[in-house]
């Protein structure tokens, strides 16, 4: 019985090409008390592996958070399989706007302490006492209300390339940081203003809305299904779109374009750009925004230093990394002194 992913990304990509079948990128989450996450995890892995599902899923005592791709032909089978799990019956599956057969190249199902690293002690407040869910249309109505403060619950590198018109976009690196900053900013308006929040797929707002209610906010609302579901409703139901730019996503696609507006700038030259890249020096891997011209000039590196390293052979690079404490920049997201035009 195989319980873990065994193929490399390259092997998997070749298999996807060979199969020549369309895949759907979908996501869902559910907060629900799961007695034995490990058993549940193993069951999911076995079933999903059979359906050729790929992706990244977290299972914890508090629930499940799944992002995956599935062959379109197997979608109904997946849906049936999820419906057979009592707390996932009829769960809303967020389907990505832009499809990419290689959005995920491995099947990873992991047991974690939490399904979102929110940094909160859940025993201190009632996590089930959440805000009011709003459809895209209702969200637009409330966004237009002068008595509303709309807050983007995502991190700085996400909201930078796209956000709702007029939303507050906290300059934060973590979800936990944004909670405190927003509370401080709105502390005099806990009872009179509408606190309207949104995130990528809705999961962060589930916890945030409960937290703010616990902190004394009286009118707490959240976009159901996040930007992904909002965009679907805009497309399928003709709701007016108020989101500008790109929706940052956590798979190989990096982002979905929602409108043609470019709301951010290249971090190297300052020209309009909303293309996220990871620095090509593997020891750096910094996530930042780089326009095509700079990408060509810099070989997709964040700095001259990294450009030099990236030009070395694999062996030379490995030698360079040996024993050095320079891994601190790996996976650092969007912040570095070398980025002149990062605001
Ligand atoms: Zn540039
Ligand atoms: Zn770099």
């Amino acid at each position: 019985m195989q319980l873990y992913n065994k193929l490399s990304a390259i092997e998997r990509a070749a298999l996807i090409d060979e199969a020549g079948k369309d895949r759907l990128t979908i996501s869902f989450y559910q907060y629900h008390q799961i007695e034995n996450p490990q058993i549940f995890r193993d069951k999911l892995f076995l079933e999903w592996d059979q359906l050729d599902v790929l992706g990244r899923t977290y299972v914890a005592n508090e629930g499940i958070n799944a992002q995956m791709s599935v062959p379109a032909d197997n979608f109904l089978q997946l849906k049936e399989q999820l419906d057979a799990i009592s707390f996932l019956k009829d769960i809303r599956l967020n389907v990505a706007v832009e499809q990419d057969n290689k959005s995920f190249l491995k099947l990873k199902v992991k047991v974690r302490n939490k399904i979102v690293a929110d940094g909160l002690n859940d025993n201190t407040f009632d996590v089930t006492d959440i805000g009011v869910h709003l459809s895209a249309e209702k969200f637009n109505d409330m966004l237009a209300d002068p008595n509303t403060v709309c807050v983007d619950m995502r991190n700085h590198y996400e909201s930078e390339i796209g956000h709702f018109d007029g939303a507050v976009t906290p300059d934060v690196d973590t979800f936990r940081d944004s909670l405190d900053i927003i509370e401080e900013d709105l502390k005099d308006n806990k009872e009179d203003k509408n606190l309207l929040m949104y995130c990528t797929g809705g999961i962060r707002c589930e916890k945030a809305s409960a937290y703010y209610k616990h902190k004394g906010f009286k009118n707490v609302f959240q976009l159901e299904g996040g930007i992904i579901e909002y965009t679907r409703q805009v497309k399928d139901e003709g709701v007016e779109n108020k989101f500008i730019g790109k929706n940052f996503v956590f798979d190989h696609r990096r982002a979905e374009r929602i409108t043609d507006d470019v709301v951010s700038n290249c971090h190297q030259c300052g020209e309009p750009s909303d293309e996220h890249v990871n620095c090509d020096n593997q020891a750096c891997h910094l996530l930042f925004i780089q326009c095509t011209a700079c990408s060509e000039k810099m070989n997709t590196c964040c700095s001259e230093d990294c450009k030099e390293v990236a030009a070395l052979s694999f062996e030379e690079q490995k030698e360079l990394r040996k024993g050095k404490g320079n891994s601190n920049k790996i996976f650092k997201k969007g912040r570095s002194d070398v980025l002149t035009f990062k605001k």
Side-chain angles (χ1 to χ4, degrees):
M1 204 160 59
Q2 188 202 321
L3 279 168
Y4 295 92
N5 181 78
K6 284 197 173 139
L7 290 180
S8 74
I10 293 165
E11 290 168 318
R12 178 69 70 182
L15 282 182
I16 292 172
D17 285 338
E18 212 173 284
K21 296 249 168 105
D22 279 347
R23 300 181 68 93
L24 299 172
T25 303
I26 60 178
S27 59
F28 67 89
Y29 64 84
Q30 181 70 287
Y31 278 104
H32 177 86
Q33 194 63 37
I34 296 172
E35 287 295 323
N36 193 326
Q38 186 64 45
I39 289 177
F40 185 58
R41 178 262 167 222
D42 289 348
K43 167 190 150 63
L44 290 179
F45 187 94
L46 288 173
E47 293 185 354
W48 290 354
D49 196 37
Q50 294 236 313
L51 293 178
D52 197 15
V53 167
L54 299 171
R56 191 190 317 110
T57 294
Y58 299 127
V59 176
N61 283 125
E62 67 176 8
I64 177 169
N65 179 13
Q67 302 179 68
M68 57 171 64
S69 86
V70 59
D73 292 347
N74 294 350
F75 180 75
L76 284 181
Q77 264 177 282
L78 174 71
K79 179 88 183 88
E80 273 171 23
Q81 182 245 318
L82 295 177
D83 279 343
I85 299 166
S86 60
F87 67 92
L88 295 179
K89 187 161 171 48
D90 294 327
I91 187 100
R92 184 196 57 249
L93 301 175
N94 274 339
V95 180
V97 182
E98 288 182 351
Q99 287 304 335
D100 177 344
N101 284 351
K102 291 170 187 158
S103 55
F104 292 100
L105 294 170
K106 290 181 180 176
L107 174 57
K108 289 185 180 170
V109 186
K110 292 185 171 175
V111 173
R112 286 277 170 93
N113 285 329
K114 290 198 160 195
I115 55 175
V116 176
D118 54 27
L120 292 170
N121 180 357
D122 294 353
N123 298 325
T124 57
F125 65 106
D126 180 1
V127 295
T128 65
D129 183 23
I130 60 174
V132 178
H133 284 129
L134 299 183
S135 65
E137 196 170 0
K138 291 264 162 57
F139 181 89
N140 283 351
D141 290 347
M142 190 160 283
L143 190 63
D145 184 338
N147 206 37
T148 296
V149 181
C150 178
V151 182
D152 191 318
M153 295 309 301
R154 302 171 302 156
N155 298 328
H156 71 98
Y157 53 88
E158 300 170 82
S159 56
E160 188 174 6
I161 58 168
H163 46 251
F164 278 101
D165 209 4
V168 176
T169 55
D171 184 28
V172 293
D173 292 298
T174 69
F175 175 74
R176 187 69 193 86
D177 286 349
S178 68
L179 289 176
D180 289 344
I181 287 173
I182 293 159
E183 190 192 354
E184 178 61 25
D185 284 356
L186 300 179
K187 63 178 190 298
D188 298 328
N189 297 104
K190 286 185 177 183
E191 300 197 3
D192 58 339
K193 294 263 189 200
N194 299 321
L195 175 55
L196 176 63
M197 58 181 94
Y198 68 91
C199 61
T200 314
I203 188 170
R204 283 178 267 190
C205 293
E206 296 290 306
K207 207 52 96 51
S209 66
Y211 182 78
Y212 285 128
K213 284 179 86 171
H214 163 71
K215 288 286 184 175
F217 286 85
K218 292 283 179 266
N219 313 298
V220 183
F221 302 86
Q222 66 218 72
L223 179 57
E224 180 161 31
I227 300 159
I228 299 174
E229 170 64 11
Y230 178 91
T231 311
R232 190 198 65 74
Q233 291 180 27
V234 164
K235 274 190 162 179
D236 296 351
E237 295 163 24
V239 177
E240 191 188 352
N241 177 45
K242 295 283 184 188
F243 188 92
I244 45 174
K246 278 174 151 183
N247 180 25
F248 188 99
V249 295
F250 295 88
D251 59 58
H252 291 297
R253 296 171 301 146
R254 288 212 176 96
E256 302 182 318
R257 180 163 292 292
I258 310 296
T259 69
D260 290 333
D261 306 271
V262 176
V263 299
S264 51
N265 301 301
C266 172
H267 289 162
Q268 285 175 326
C269 71
E271 287 298 308
S273 172
D274 55 11
E275 285 300 319
H276 268 119
V277 300
N278 282 108
C279 176
D280 207 36
N281 172 10
Q282 296 309 306
C284 173
H285 209 257
L286 178 72
L287 179 80
F288 67 107
I289 298 174
Q290 189 177 48
C291 72
T292 317
C294 287
S295 176
E296 278 169 17
K297 195 173 92 191
M298 299 296 293
N299 293 340
T300 320
C301 286
C302 75
S303 60
E304 290 296 338
D305 284 353
C306 282
K307 194 176 161 185
E308 276 175 34
V309 174
L312 298 172
S313 72
F314 178 75
E315 288 306 317
E316 284 172 311
Q317 289 189 40
K318 217 172 132 189
E319 196 58 32
L320 209 60
R321 284 205 289 272
K322 221 179 239 177
K324 266 196 192 172
N326 63 354
S327 61
N328 56 338
K329 267 163 57 185
I330 292 182
F331 300 125
K332 209 166 88 175
K333 290 190 170 125
R335 292 203 205 274
S336 169
D337 296 338
V338 302
L339 301 175
T340 319
F341 287 90
K342 168 66 184 171
K343 278 174 211 142

